[in-house]
């Protein structure tokens, strides 16, 4: 009867939420609580914060109890989920370009930023053919210009 | 206005060129979204929400609704052809649909799915047409305590039915409600949790939040693990089901229609629950249960009918009570609120053209889907061949521009990207994002209902139990919350004996 090693995703998340809800409650204390006949702006956040804190602790406890239970072999083989890394390099590179894209828009304008971003994101996902990257960037920026700026009239930078 | 006159008026509204175009765009986008794995219907509705700002309220809502039920049609295509469900509601269709495709009956499976979807969708709409006005009339007697009690019941039901841990769902609901308290308190005018950030005084916008939680999180998930495609061929001459296949599909379609509509009324992921429940029932009722999982047409007809009927059922609490208990209806509520229209018991009285126009457009959209889907199956299926490394960057650009266009400011883009990171982390932590959105959308309503109830009841919260409807809802809430725990305790006690 060995407890399973490490924290489960739910248990780890419940600790994070418990900390955040404690901070939320601390901030909520600065608003007027009022009375039951005249509730103030702070009453509802306090109630929600307490509910959040209690639920996160309940989730943590439930996960701890489950972790201590002996793992019983199942008669029917269960589906094995493919293990994917928490974050991988491709996703990080893609996310990085996505974050830089709005910043680039303010500096270089929508069209140039879009062309670079489309090619950059595709490159991050493993596209290595220069022609394809160029085509995607140029055609995507042109289509975006026509659709968003001309047709929908979005006042883009 | 009687139901008949209302519906007639709705058809006149829905049949205007701009509303027909909105319905067409909605169902086509919905079908494409349903076809594409990785881009869910909620993400797509969220991504297109900003683009409906410039449209008339009726056209905007007609388009958003079209995306939802269109995705239910499209989801079956990839389930059957490549064993890859485009939508969670179509997961169960892979079991027999793909097996039929491997036997050369892909066309028949697609046709039965489309016919079943049409029949069930229309059945659900008839239910919506008849029941929503009746419920709205009954809800006119509701006051804040009743709405508060119904909302609490909905939350507890939602937490029980999302499929995962009930505590985790409740946690997400409360997290959503906490997020909703950011911004100005409308009753006192005080800024809460804005920390001096001016843009937060109007609260966190729904559209970028949902775009991030669903759309961006889905993009990041697909980027981490791109899908590979191996598609079954559809032969035109095999597109139509045989007489025997049609005969075997009639009863599952009928049962799926009724079941889906009823399940749609329950808070939670109704369309997914409906399709799984229908599959289980069809297998139990079948004379040949051994055929299930090996290409039984009943396993396609029932679930595909159920998930379409459920979309109409799920619209009833939104349109009649103003309470969305499914993520897709929460998005529709966002669409209503953006255009300054409040759904609920007064919707039919104050905005009959919006209510009846939306309902009538769904009849028209269903017809469009039937006409579009059968002949265009190969075209829709070919969309899946677009490589993710082309598709995902394009969707990201559309998302960024969409978020920017809400208020023409970059702040909403940052909110969307932050919500995307949160959505991705929630997926990794196995926590559901849908209850968070529902908590976020309903949070402000619940706060107002709670404060108004306290004022009405002279500060005595126990007085809520004197009101029969509210007391009934709260009693039902207690039953729903406690029964599983009591049953579990009883099982444990029995095992020990």
């Amino acid at each position: 009867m060995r407890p399973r090693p490490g924290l489960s995703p739910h248990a780890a998340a419940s600790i994070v939420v418990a900390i955040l809800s404690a901070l939320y409650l601390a901030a909520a204390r600065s608003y007027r609580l009022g009375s039951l006949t005249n509730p103030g702006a702070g009453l509802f956040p306090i109630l929600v914060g307490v509910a959040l804190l209690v639920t996160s602790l309940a989730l943590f406890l439930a996960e701890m109890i489950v972790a201590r239970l002996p793992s019983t072999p199942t008669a029917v083989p269960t589906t094995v989920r493919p293990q994917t890394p928490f974050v991988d390099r491709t996703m990080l590179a893609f996310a990085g370009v996505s974050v830089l894209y709005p910043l680039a828009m303010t500096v270089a304008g929508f069209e140039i930023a879009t062309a670079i971003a489309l090619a950059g994101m595709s490159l991050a996902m493993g596209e290595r053919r220069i022609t394809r990257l160029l085509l995607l960037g140029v055609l995507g920026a042109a289509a975006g210009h026509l659709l968003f700026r001309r047709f929908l009239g979005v006042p883009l930078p | 206005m009687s139901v008949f006159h209302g519906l007639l008026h709705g058809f006149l509204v829905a049949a205007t060129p701009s509303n027909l175009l909105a319905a067409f765009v909605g169902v086509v986008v919905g079908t494409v979204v349903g076809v594409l794995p990785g881009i869910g219907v909620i993400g797509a509705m969220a991504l297109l929400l900003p683009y409906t700002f410039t449209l008339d309220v009726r056209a905007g809502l007609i388009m958003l609704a079209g995306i939802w039920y269109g995705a239910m049609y499209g989801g079956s295509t990839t389930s059957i052809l490549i064993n890859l469900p485009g939508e969670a509601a179509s997961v169960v269709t892979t079991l027999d649909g793909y097996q039929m495709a491997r036997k050369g009956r892909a066309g028949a499976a697609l046709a039965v799915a489309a016919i079943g979807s049409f029949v069930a969708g229309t059945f659900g709409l008839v239910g919506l047409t008849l029941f929503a006005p009746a419920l709205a009339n009954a809800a006119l007697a509701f006051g804040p305590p009743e709405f508060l009690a119904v909302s609490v019941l909905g939350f507890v039901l939602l937490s029980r039915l999302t499929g995962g841990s009930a505590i985790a769902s409740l946690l997400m609901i409360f997290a959503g409600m906490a997020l909703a308290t950011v911004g100005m308190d409308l009753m006192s005018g005080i800024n809460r949790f804005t920390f001096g950030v001016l843009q937060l005084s109007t609260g966190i916008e729904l559209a970028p939040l949902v775009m991030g939680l669903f759309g961006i999180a889905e993009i990041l998930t697909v980027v981490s693990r791109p899908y590979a495609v191996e598609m079954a061929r559809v032969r035109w001459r095999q597109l139509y089901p045989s007489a025997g296949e049609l005969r075997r599909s009639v009863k599952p379609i009928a049962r799926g229609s009724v079941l889906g509509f009823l399940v749609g009324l329950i808070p939670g992921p109704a369309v997914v629950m409906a399709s799984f429940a229908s599959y289980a029932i069809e297998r139990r009722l079948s004379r040949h249960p051994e055929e299930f999982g090996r290409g039984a047409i009943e396993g396609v007809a029932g679930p595909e009918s159920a998930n379409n009927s459920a979309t109409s059922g799920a619209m009833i609490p939104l349109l009649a009570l103003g309470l969305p208990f499914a993520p897709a209806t929460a998005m529709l509520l966002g669409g209503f609120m953006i255009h300054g229209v409040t759904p609920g018991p007064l919707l039919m009285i104050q905005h009959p053209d919006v209510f009846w126009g939306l309902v009538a457009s769904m009849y028209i959209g269903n017809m469009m889907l039937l006409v579009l889907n059968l002949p265009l199956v190969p075209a829709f299926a070919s969309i899946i061949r677009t490589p993710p490394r082309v598709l995902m960057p394009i969707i990201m650009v559309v998302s960024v521009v969409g978020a920017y266009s809400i208020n023409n400011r970059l702040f909403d883009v940052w909110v969307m990207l932050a919500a995307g990171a949160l959505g991705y982390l929630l997926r990794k932590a196995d926590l559901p994002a849908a209850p968070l959105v529902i908590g976020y959308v309903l949070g402000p309503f619940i706060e107002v209902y709670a404060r108004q109830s306290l004022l009405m009841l002279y500060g005595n919260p126990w007085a809520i139990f004197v009101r029969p409807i509210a007391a009934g809802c709260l009693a039902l809430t207690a039953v729903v919350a406690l029964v599983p725990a009591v049953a579990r305790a009883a099982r444990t006690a029995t095992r020990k004996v």
Side-chain angles (χ1 to χ4, degrees), chain B residues 286-336:
Chain B
S286 173
R287 286 181 194 160
H288 308 285
E290 71 283 354
E291 282 182 20
F292 277 73
R294 292 176 187 165
I297 193 125
E298 295 90 340
V300 175
E304 281 301 317
S305 306
N307 67 30
N308 275 272
S309 188
T311 56
S312 304
M315 293 282 275
I316 292 179
L318 171 70
L319 295 176
L321 303 176
L323 300 172
F325 287 129
T329 50
M331 287 312 305
L332 279 172
L333 178 67
F336 273 105

Side-chain angles (χ1 to χ4, degrees), chain A residues 9-10 13-14 17 24-25 27-28 31-32 35-45 48 51-52 55-56 58-59 62-63 81-82 84-88 90-91 94-95 98-103 105-106 110 114 117-118 121-122 125-129 132 136 148 152 154-157, chain B residues 51 54 165 167-168 170-172 174-175 177-179 181 185 188 190-195 219-226 387-390 392-394 396-398 400-402 404-405 408 410 413-414 417 424-425 428-432 443-444 446-447 450-451 454-455 458-461:
Chain A
H10 273 177
S14 64
V17 177
Y24 176 83
L25 273 172
Y31 309 117
R32 196 180 71 87
S35 62
L36 283 178
T37 45
N38 184 21
L43 181 65
F44 189 71
V48 171
L52 197 57
T55 323
S56 58
L59 183 62
E63 289 296 312
R81 269 203 220 171
T84 51
F86 195 74
V87 283
D88 62 33
T90 308
M91 196 279 283
F94 187 94
S98 306
V99 171
L100 290 175
Y101 171 48
L103 291 174
M105 260 208 286
T106 56
F110 169 72
T114 301
L118 282 172
M121 287 181 225
S122 191
M125 288 186 74
E127 181 59 69
R128 293 290 176 266
R129 286 164 291 192
R132 288 210 174 185
L136 178 64
F148 299 122
L152 292 171
V154 181
L156 290 158
Chain B
Y51 297 107
T54 50
S165 152
I167 305 175
L170 272 181
L171 185 78
M172 288 292 97
F174 291 133
M177 289 167 81
L179 276 180
T181 57
D185 169 37
S188 64
I190 293 169
N191 272 336
R192 296 184 301 196
F193 307 105
T194 55
F195 306 108
I219 294 172
L220 294 179
T221 309
V222 173
V223 168
S224 316
R225 202 174 48 193
R389 61 182 65 160
V390 172
M392 294 305 132
I394 291 171
M396 180 56 92
V397 166
V398 172
V400 169
V401 176
Y404 178 84
S405 68
N408 299 326
L410 276 179
V413 177
W414 300 127
L417 293 175
Y424 182 80
L425 292 174
K428 289 289 176 185
D430 205 15
L431 289 170
I446 288 187
E447 178 172 10
R451 286 163 80 170
L454 282 173
L455 286 170
Y458 304 103
N460 177 14

Side-chain angles (χ1 to χ4, degrees), chain A residues 50-111:
Chain A
V50 169
L52 197 57
L53 185 62
V54 169
T55 323
S56 58
L57 294 176
L59 183 62
F60 182 77
L61 281 175
E63 289 296 312
M64 287 300 105
I65 291 167
V66 169
R68 283 179 185 280
L69 289 175
S71 50
T72 49
T74 47
V76 182
T78 50
T79 313
V80 179
R81 269 203 220 171
Q83 287 292 313
T84 51
F86 195 74
V87 283
D88 62 33
R89 213 177 293 170
T90 308
M91 196 279 283
L92 275 181
F94 187 94
V97 179
S98 306
V99 171
L100 290 175
Y101 171 48
L103 291 174
M105 260 208 286
T106 56
V107 177
F110 169 72
E111 287 78 5

Side-chain angles (χ1 to χ4, degrees), chain B residues 122-371:
Chain B
T122 309
F123 175 85
L125 282 170
V126 172
L128 170 66
T129 310
L130 296 175
F131 285 107
L135 183 60
N137 277 334
L140 283 172
F142 281 25
E146 283 75 23
F147 277 112
L148 180 66
V150 172
S151 305
V152 172
L153 172 62
F155 278 166
V156 173
L157 273 172
L158 182 68
S159 68
R160 284 273 168 225
L161 298 172
T162 42
S165 152
I167 305 175
S169 292
L170 272 181
L171 185 78
M172 288 292 97
I173 289 171
F174 291 133
M177 289 167 81
L179 276 180
T181 57
V182 174
M184 189 182 283
D185 169 37
L186 292 176
M187 291 179 90
S188 64
I190 293 169
N191 272 336
R192 296 184 301 196
F193 307 105
T194 55
F195 306 108
V197 180
L198 191 67
Q199 289 95 329
L200 282 178
S201 60
T202 51
I204 299 168
E205 290 266 358
L206 173 71
L209 178 75
V210 183
M211 286 166 83
L213 281 173
F214 290 94
I216 303 298
E218 275 170 3
I219 294 172
L220 294 179
T221 309
V222 173
V223 168
S224 316
R225 202 174 48 193
Y227 49 87
V229 176
E230 197 179 313
M231 195 179 298
R233 268 189 71 189
V234 187
R235 292 186 179 85
W236 283 100
R237 62 175 177 277
Q238 291 174 343
L239 188 59
Y240 298 100
S242 65
E245 285 169 329
L246 268 181
R247 206 169 36 247
R248 284 175 60 180
S249 305
V250 171
K251 283 182 181 172
I253 288 173
R255 282 190 288 263
S257 303
V258 178
L259 177 78
F261 180 73
L262 295 175
V263 174
L265 295 168
I266 303 169
V271 288
V272 183
M273 289 191 302
S275 60
F276 275 90
S278 168
Y279 189 82
I281 286 173
E282 291 311 323
R283 189 163 60 177
R284 184 163 292 180
L285 293 178
S286 173
R287 286 181 194 160
H288 308 285
E290 71 283 354
E291 282 182 20
F292 277 73
R294 292 176 187 165
I297 193 125
E298 295 90 340
V300 175
E304 281 301 317
S305 306
N307 67 30
N308 275 272
S309 188
T311 56
S312 304
M315 293 282 275
I316 292 179
L318 171 70
L319 295 176
L321 303 176
L323 300 172
F325 287 129
T329 50
M331 287 312 305
L332 279 172
L333 178 67
F336 273 105
M337 283 156 54
I338 282 162
H339 288 97
V341 177
T342 310
L346 293 174
L347 179 68
M348 263 170 277
I349 298 163
Q350 292 172 341
H351 302 280
D353 49 337
V354 174
F355 176 83
W356 289 112
L358 180 62
V359 172
S361 80
M362 290 170 75
Y363 282 98
I364 297 172
N366 253 306
M367 188 62 81
M368 283 178 179
L369 279 166
L370 185 69
V371 176

